[in-house]
Each structure stands twice: as C-alpha cells, then as structure tokens.
Amino acid sequence: MSDARNAIFAKIRKAEAGRTACDPAEAKARLQTPTPQPVPAIAQPSPDTLTEAFIAKAMELGCTTADCPNLGAVPNAVKAYLAEQEQSPDVTVPESCELSNLDWAGSGITASRDLSREALDGRTGITRALAGVAETGAVAVAASDTYPVSLGLLPDRHIIVLTTDELVGGYEDVWQQARAARDNQGMARSLIFVGGPSRTADIEATLVMGAHGPRAVHIILVGA
C-alpha cells in the first residue's frame, strides 16, 4: 500500500475516533425540524405574485398553462386544450385519484385507466401534483397510487392538475409539503420535478422533443 494511501486512511481513522454515535431521536428531530438555510429572493415571491411568478417560469420551460375555476371544471379545460392541439379526446387518468371521479364523459372525453406501455403510447396522461415551484416553474410530483410514474413519462402529452394552494416559492417548501403529504408508509419512493417537455439536442445539436418523455406538458391551475 502506498504512503499516500496510508496517510489518507490514517486521517479517516483519526477523524472517526473523535466521533460519538448519533442518537436516533436526535437525528429524527433534525430531519423533522431542519435548520433554515438562506433562500434567494426569487424563491420568496409575495402571496400576491406567487401564481403569476409560477406561470411565467413554467412558460419559460416550454409548458403551456390554463386557468380553471374548480376541480369539477377540469374535464372541460382538458377538452379545450385537446381541441386546440387537434388531438383526440382520449385520456388516461390514475384509478386512485379524485381525477378518476370527474365527469369525463359529460365533456365528451373517453377516460381510460389502462397504464400498460402499449395503452399509453401516443396518448394524453393526466395526473395531480404535489407542488408547483415559482422559483423555476417546475412541478413536483410524488410517486404513489395517485401518481403512477409511467403516466407522467410514457404518453406524448402530460396534463398536470395543480391547485393554487399547492404553489410554493422555492424547493425548500416542497420538502415540507412532501412530509406533510406522506402516508403511514412514510415518504414517497421517489419525488420527481417535471421541468417542461422532454427534449434533447445530443445529436448534431438538433433539438428533438419527446425523446425521453412527453413532448408537451400542459398545466391546469385550479383556483386561479
């Protein structure tokens, strides 16, 4: 073993010798009440400008947005978007979600619950979200029965239903909402930030949409 390697291991042993075992209760307390960190001004918009700031940033990411007065009006908002995009009124919604109980047929929309790869190919997926981040315009979604990850990745179009009270200033606020929304099984297996449509320019610097996910992301903001 080289002298340099021996010196590195010696420093590690010396550092470890002075450490004491962490108390589990103390560690849990630190996780539940983390020490506040500096937050940039862009992540602290006033309540009056929070919605406007989020929409502006989301559009910069390539998303489209639409206002909706209440959750019951979401099917009509979806129908209007699909008609504008000249797409068929066929969507996929998760089974365990308030979206599945909406009157899709009354708006002339066929809503499927089939989450197989073949069924989602080329379709429009509709999901709820955990939070919208005004700092960047990204939308946070937590993997669960109400948000099957495949429904946000495999369809050509991803429609995200978000309420105005789910908007936050910065990423720090998202973790607080994730902890508040957790169920008896603890935190979600994964937390995903949707930062607009999938795109890549790896090949010959030519922009290609939908290479690794939806080619279009539309955000319906309920209560705006």
Side-chain angles (χ1 to χ4, degrees), residues 1-15:
M1 188 178 295
S2 69
D3 291 340
R5 195 172 183 183
N6 284 331
I8 292 172
F9 282 132
K11 289 182 179 180
I12 293 174
R13 294 188 190 98
K14 183 178 180 181

Side-chain angles (χ1 to χ4, degrees), residues 57-195:
K57 285 295 184 180
M59 293 179 68
E60 288 181 10
L61 293 177
C63 300
T64 54
T65 66
D67 298 341
C68 188
N70 53 65
L71 198 62
V74 166
N76 286 335
V78 171
K79 180 68 178 294
Y81 169 72
L82 293 176
E84 181 182 318
Q85 299 297 314
E86 299 182 348
Q87 299 295 328
S88 63
D90 301 310
V91 303
T92 302
V93 297
E95 183 70 39
S96 303
C97 181
E98 68 264 48
L99 296 177
S100 65
N101 297 322
L102 298 179
D103 185 14
W104 297 102
S107 296
I109 295 177
T110 302
S112 168
R113 275 73 171 175
D114 188 348
L115 300 178
S116 66
R117 179 184 303 177
E118 296 75 18
L120 293 178
D121 186 29
R123 285 182 71 88
T124 299
I126 305 179
T127 69
R128 287 284 279 111
L130 177 67
V133 188
E135 181 178 357
T136 62
V139 176
V141 293
S144 65
D145 290 342
T146 59
Y147 182 84
V149 174
S150 59
L151 194 48
L153 294 176
L154 297 181
D156 270 3
R157 292 160 298 280
H158 184 192
I159 297 178
I160 302 173
V161 179
L162 188 66
T163 64
T164 52
D165 60 3
E166 291 166 340
L167 296 179
V168 298
Y171 287 98
E172 293 82 0
D173 302 312
V174 174
W175 304 119
Q176 294 180 13
Q177 294 206 177
R179 293 186 182 97
R182 64 185 178 183
D183 56 23
N184 292 330
Q185 298 180 353
M187 292 285 285
R189 184 171 185 269
S190 62
L191 186 66
I192 304 165
F193 289 96
V194 180

